[in-house]
Amino acid sequence: MGSTGAEVTGADRQWRLNRRNFDGCWSGTSQWFLRDPTTGVLDLQCPARTIPDTCYSIDFSDADTGTWDGRGLLFAPDGRRRLPLCRATYNSGGSCWQFDGAGGQSSLAVDPAQPRFGHEVNLFSGRSRSMLVLLWAPQAGAGDLWRLDAVAAVAFRCSRSAPADPPRPQLPVAALLAELEGWPGRLETLEPHRWPIDDPDPVACDPFRPADLARHPLTVGFDDGLVCSVPEVLPIGAFRLEVGCRMAHDHFQQLSLVFDGDRRLRQWERRRFRPDGG
């Protein structure tokens, strides 16, 4: 609850989860995979830009206000940006989303009036933050064709904690997913603009199957146990984007972004898989 003493709302809960997830000084090396403007090729094996001193410092001075201070940013002037954070105005557009231990922001529709269709997914474990950014761009003169234009992966660790979580080995994608076969899972969902007031109880979901994540030909792994499966060109109808991370030897998180036939975001789905079902 905020300092005003007003009745708690679902938006308040999202703000509290935002504070719980993101409060920290997150440092890491960002790897940007960019489509070559000359050849038109997007190489997802070798980053086009590596920024070793990326840092997002997120501080909250009280229950209602805070500051986001970032450096090592690819698209910001001089690589820096500083933004105020406030409970009263947080997520006014509904594009930010939070689970306990996962959060980010998403384009809510494929909108030709926008320059990008993009998503930032952060998966947390302890004081680690594994971040994946996916950006599609419209193709000039190609009608309603949107093509994956850039991907960024960052293995953040919070410098306020000691010792920091160790780096995670990166297995080939097929091997990583095969090790998870049959793990029981628990599912939570969110819908845009419909934020629950209370923590929902996770429900059992189907055991992990590699094909449920690797549903697109473009299925790629990155540092820190990150993996994604996304369409290189956005379909005209319904589609799903899949992002996952092997958080620990006994924990895999999967975040699914589900779009309907009008290419509007219908829901976020978070699954947590563990070999013992816990």
Side-chain angles (χ1 to χ4, degrees):
M1 182 180 296
S3 58
T4 62
E7 181 180 354
V8 174
T9 66
D12 291 327
R13 177 178 175 273
Q14 285 287 296
W15 167 255
R16 291 199 304 269
L17 287 172
N18 174 58
R19 290 181 56 207
R20 186 187 307 169
N21 286 333
F22 285 94
D23 188 7
C25 186
W26 304 100
S27 302
T29 297
S30 55
Q31 296 182 325
W32 280 94
F33 304 83
L34 306 171
R35 191 172 293 278
D36 188 292
T38 302
T39 65
V41 173
L42 177 62
D43 183 353
L44 292 176
Q45 303 303 319
C46 182
R49 288 284 307 276
T50 299
I51 307 175
D53 59 346
T54 301
C55 180
Y56 296 174
S57 182
I58 304 170
D59 299 282
F60 294 91
S61 55
D62 55 49
D64 298 321
T65 56
T67 303
W68 186 98
D69 190 358
R71 69 171 188 266
L73 311 178
L74 182 63
F75 296 117
D78 301 320
R80 298 213 59 159
R81 182 175 295 152
R82 184 179 175 89
L83 300 170
L85 302 173
C86 177
R87 182 180 66 86
T89 58
Y90 172 71
N91 202 19
S92 57
S95 62
C96 297
W97 52 272
Q98 306 289 338
F99 296 94
D100 186 4
Q105 52 188 321
S106 300
S107 293
L108 299 181
V110 181
D111 183 353
Q114 299 300 320
R116 293 192 183 99
F117 172 78
H119 302 272
E120 177 190 309
V121 175
N122 298 273
L123 301 173
F124 297 86
S125 177
R127 298 308 288 162
S128 72
R129 171 185 172 186
S130 305
M131 185 180 83
L132 196 69
V133 175
L134 302 160
L135 301 173
W136 284 260
Q139 301 305 291
D144 201 18
L145 185 140
W146 290 69
R147 188 169 63 170
L148 186 62
D149 195 55
V151 177
V154 191
F156 282 119
R157 298 295 184 268
C158 182
S159 62
R160 296 177 192 164
S161 61
D165 293 351
R168 304 183 193 122
Q170 179 64 50
L171 295 174
V173 172
L176 185 152
L177 299 182
E179 288 189 353
L180 312 176
E181 179 84 48
W183 282 16
R186 308 285 284 178
L187 169 67
E188 301 165 78
T189 61
L190 284 174
E191 297 179 25
H193 304 292
R194 298 181 63 182
W195 314 117
I197 295 176
D198 300 313
D199 292 343
D201 292 327
V203 298
C205 62
D206 292 338
F208 185 86
R209 295 190 307 165
D212 290 341
L213 187 144
R215 61 181 62 246
H216 299 287
L218 191 60
T219 300
V220 189
F222 303 93
D223 288 350
D224 219 30
L226 279 163
V227 60
C228 73
S229 185
V230 298
E232 186 167 4
V233 175
L234 295 179
I236 296 301
F239 62 93
R240 296 170 64 102
L241 310 177
E242 305 288 353
V243 177
C245 189
R246 183 78 175 266
M247 315 302 300
H249 74 281
D250 61 350
H251 181 200
F252 184 82
Q253 277 207 68
Q254 180 177 344
L255 197 289
S256 305
L257 300 103
V258 183
F259 286 79
D260 65 19
D262 295 324
R263 303 204 288 184
R264 295 184 176 277
L265 183 61
R266 180 164 59 87
Q267 65 183 18
W268 297 272
E269 300 175 350
R270 194 268 290 270
R271 292 172 175 83
R272 287 183 284 188
F273 296 95
R274 296 184 183 273
D276 60 2

